[in-house]
Amino acid sequence: MLQKGDKKLINSWAFYDWANSVYSLVIATAVFPLYYSAITKDEIVTFLWMEWEHPDTLYSYALSFSFLVVAFMSPILSGIADYTGSKKKFMRFFCALGSISVMSLYFFDSVETVWVGIVFTIFASIGFWASLVFYNAYLPEIAHPEQQDSASAKGFIFGYIGSVILLIINLILIQMPETFGLTSGTASRISFVMVGLWWLGFAQITFRKLPSNVFHKKPEKDYIWKGFRELKIVAKEMMKSPTLKRFLISFFLLSVGVQTIILLATIFGSTELGLKAIDLIITVLLIQIVAIAGAYIFSKISEKKGNILALKITIFIWMIVCFCAFLLHKGLPNVAIYFYSLGAVLGLVLGAIQSLARSTYSKLLPETQDHATYFSFYDVTEKIAIVLGTLVYGLLFAITDSMQWSVLCLALFFLASFIVLSTMKKTKYVQ
C-alpha cells in the first residue's frame, strides 16, 4: 500500500477528477442542456402525470431535487462510511450510479422519452456529487498539509484537461455526424455513452491505488445508528472551532456566486446577450483551458503568500467579473468578444477558487479519522448554496426581466464572503 504523501498515490487520487469532470462539462454544462432544449423546444412535456409548458423549468427542478437529495443523505452516509471504514465502497457505488445513468441518457431520443432524460439526469447528478464527498474526504489522507494545495490543484488541472479532450471529440462527432453515418441527435446521444464510459473506465485507476476498508473502530451490528452518532460527534466538534465555522460561512457565500454562475453562464449568454450556441461552447472551452493555468498559478501563490490571501484575490476577481457581466447587453458592439474576454478572466479564477477552498478546508480539519463526515458538511454547504443562488437568480430575473441585475446581486455574496474571510484567524497551515 502506498504511503501518505507518495506522488503515485496523490496522482492516482487526482486522476478521479480526470475521470468525472467530463460529466460536469459535457453533461451539466455544454452538450446535454443544448440537446435537451432542442428536443423539448416549443413542446409541452408530461412528467409525473403533469404537463409542463416550460420544459427548461422541469430540468432545473430535477437538478435542484438531486442537490437536495445529496445534501440530505451525504452526512448520514459519510458518518456510516467513517465508522465502518468504507469510503472507497461508497465512492465506487456512486461513481457507478452516475456513469451508468449518464450512459442511459442515450435512450432519451424524443419528447415521449423525456422521462428518461429527467430521471437519469437526477441519478447522474446524485452519483457525481455524492462520489465527490468521499473523493474529497481522501485529500487529508493521501497528502500532508503542505502538499494539499498542489494536490487539490492537480486534481482540477487533470479534470480540465480530460474534459476538454473529450468535449472536443464530442463536438467533432456532433458537428460532422454525416462523416460517421449518423444524425446530429444520434451523435449527441453517443457522446453521452462516451462520457459514462470515460468516467467509469478512468476511475478504475484511482480505485486501484486508494486505501480501502480501514476500520479505525470495531464495527458493530447497529452501524447505521453508530453512523448517526458519528455525525453528531463531528457536528459538535465543528461548533467548537470558530475558524472552521467562519470558513464554512465564507465558503457558503462564495459558493452561491460560483456555482450559480457555472450553472447559468450559458443561459445568460444565450438569453440575455443573444449569443449563438457555437459562441457559448467556444467560451466554455476557453474557460476550461484558462482554468488549467489558473489552478496552477494560484496554488503557487497560496504556497508563498498563504491560502487566505490567495482566496481573497480570487474572490475580488469574481466580483469584478460580476460587475463587468452586469454592463454587457445585446446592443453592445462585438458583445461576443467581450463575453470571450470575460470567460478568460473567469477561467483564471474558476479552478483556483474551487481548488483553494477544498485544500483550505482540508488544512483546517482537526486531527481525526472522520474525514468523510467532515467533508459531507462541506458538500452540504455547497449544495444549499446552489439552491439559494439559483433561487435568488431566478427571482430577480422574474422581477426585473433582466439577468443583469441577477448577476450584479451575486457580487454581493462574493463581497460578504470576502469580509467573513478577512475575519479568520491564521492557523499553523492556513496563513
Side-chain angles (χ1 to χ4, degrees), residues 168-184 186-188 190 194:
I168 291 173
I169 294 172
N170 291 156
L171 289 179
I172 292 172
L173 186 66
I174 293 168
Q175 293 298 316
M176 299 185 295
E178 63 282 349
T179 305
F180 305 95
L182 304 170
T183 64
S184 179
T186 302
S188 296
I190 289 175
M194 292 172 68

Side-chain angles (χ1 to χ4, degrees), residues 204-223:
Q204 304 312 309
I205 295 174
T206 299
F207 293 140
R208 278 206 303 267
K209 300 291 185 181
L210 286 182
S212 60
N213 301 325
V214 179
F215 291 87
H216 60 82
K217 296 171 186 174
K218 185 179 178 181
E220 300 175 21
K221 291 182 179 179
D222 59 338
Y223 63 87

Side-chain angles (χ1 to χ4, degrees), residues 37-54:
S37 294
I39 292 290
T40 59
K41 186 177 181 180
D42 300 324
E43 298 281 355
I44 297 176
V45 303
T46 302
F47 184 72
L48 293 180
W49 305 283
M50 296 174 61
E51 291 188 342
W52 300 80
E53 294 184 13
H54 303 289

Side-chain angles (χ1 to χ4, degrees), residues 368-394:
T368 181
Q369 292 177 310
D370 298 327
H371 294 124
T373 307
Y374 271 100
F375 266 98
S376 72
F377 283 97
Y378 179 87
D379 185 75
V380 168
T381 299
E382 187 177 46
K383 298 304 162 292
I384 296 175
I386 292 174
V387 175
L388 176 62
T390 52
L391 178 63
V392 170
Y393 195 97

Side-chain angles (χ1 to χ4, degrees), residues 119-226:
V119 168
F120 288 109
T121 288
I122 292 172
F123 283 133
S125 179
I126 291 172
F128 174 77
W129 289 107
S131 71
L132 283 183
V133 176
F134 303 100
Y135 167 62
N136 290 335
Y138 268 108
L139 179 56
E141 296 182 15
I142 57 96
H144 297 292
E146 64 274 12
Q147 297 175 305
Q148 289 172 14
D149 286 339
S150 59
S152 181
K154 182 176 287 187
F156 279 99
I157 290 170
F158 281 180
Y160 290 130
I161 294 173
S163 58
V164 165
I165 290 172
L166 187 59
L167 178 59
I168 291 173
I169 294 172
N170 291 156
L171 289 179
I172 292 172
L173 186 66
I174 293 168
Q175 293 298 316
M176 299 185 295
E178 63 282 349
T179 305
F180 305 95
L182 304 170
T183 64
S184 179
T186 302
S188 296
R189 289 159 53 216
I190 289 175
S191 73
F192 306 153
V193 176
M194 292 172 68
V195 168
L197 291 174
W198 179 291
W199 182 1
L200 187 62
F202 283 116
Q204 304 312 309
I205 295 174
T206 299
F207 293 140
R208 278 206 303 267
K209 300 291 185 181
L210 286 182
S212 60
N213 301 325
V214 179
F215 291 87
H216 60 82
K217 296 171 186 174
K218 185 179 178 181
E220 300 175 21
K221 291 182 179 179
D222 59 338
Y223 63 87
I224 293 179
W225 295 111
K226 296 293 184 182

Side-chain angles (χ1 to χ4, degrees), residues 119-336:
V119 168
F120 288 109
T121 288
I122 292 172
F123 283 133
S125 179
I126 291 172
F128 174 77
W129 289 107
S131 71
L132 283 183
V133 176
F134 303 100
Y135 167 62
N136 290 335
Y138 268 108
L139 179 56
E141 296 182 15
I142 57 96
H144 297 292
E146 64 274 12
Q147 297 175 305
Q148 289 172 14
D149 286 339
S150 59
S152 181
K154 182 176 287 187
F156 279 99
I157 290 170
F158 281 180
Y160 290 130
I161 294 173
S163 58
V164 165
I165 290 172
L166 187 59
L167 178 59
I168 291 173
I169 294 172
N170 291 156
L171 289 179
I172 292 172
L173 186 66
I174 293 168
Q175 293 298 316
M176 299 185 295
E178 63 282 349
T179 305
F180 305 95
L182 304 170
T183 64
S184 179
T186 302
S188 296
R189 289 159 53 216
I190 289 175
S191 73
F192 306 153
V193 176
M194 292 172 68
V195 168
L197 291 174
W198 179 291
W199 182 1
L200 187 62
F202 283 116
Q204 304 312 309
I205 295 174
T206 299
F207 293 140
R208 278 206 303 267
K209 300 291 185 181
L210 286 182
S212 60
N213 301 325
V214 179
F215 291 87
H216 60 82
K217 296 171 186 174
K218 185 179 178 181
E220 300 175 21
K221 291 182 179 179
D222 59 338
Y223 63 87
I224 293 179
W225 295 111
K226 296 293 184 182
F228 277 107
R229 188 176 300 173
E230 200 81 6
L231 179 64
K232 185 178 179 181
I233 292 171
V234 169
K236 286 183 177 180
E237 288 298 317
M238 291 184 69
M239 292 299 101
K240 296 176 183 178
S241 174
T243 303
L244 198 56
K245 283 193 295 184
R246 288 185 183 183
F247 177 78
L248 279 177
I249 293 171
S250 178
F251 175 66
F252 171 78
L253 293 168
L254 70 86
S255 293
V256 170
V258 171
Q259 296 301 330
T260 303
I261 290 173
I262 290 173
L263 289 171
L264 300 174
T266 53
I267 295 177
F268 176 84
S270 61
T271 304
E272 193 67 29
L273 304 181
L275 298 179
K276 298 178 181 178
I278 189 63
D279 291 322
L280 298 174
I281 291 176
I282 289 173
T283 305
V284 169
L285 278 172
L286 179 62
I287 289 172
Q288 300 292 308
I289 293 170
V290 176
I292 296 170
Y296 177 79
I297 291 169
F298 276 92
S299 72
K300 295 302 179 183
I301 293 175
S302 68
E303 286 180 12
K304 293 182 178 181
K305 301 295 183 180
N307 292 64
I308 294 177
L309 178 60
L311 270 172
K312 287 167 73 174
I313 293 172
T314 63
I315 292 172
F316 181 74
I317 295 174
W318 275 91
M319 285 191 283
I320 294 175
V321 168
C322 289
F323 182 73
C324 291
F326 169 72
L327 298 177
L328 296 182
H329 56 85
K330 288 181 181 179
L332 192 66
N334 300 316
V335 67

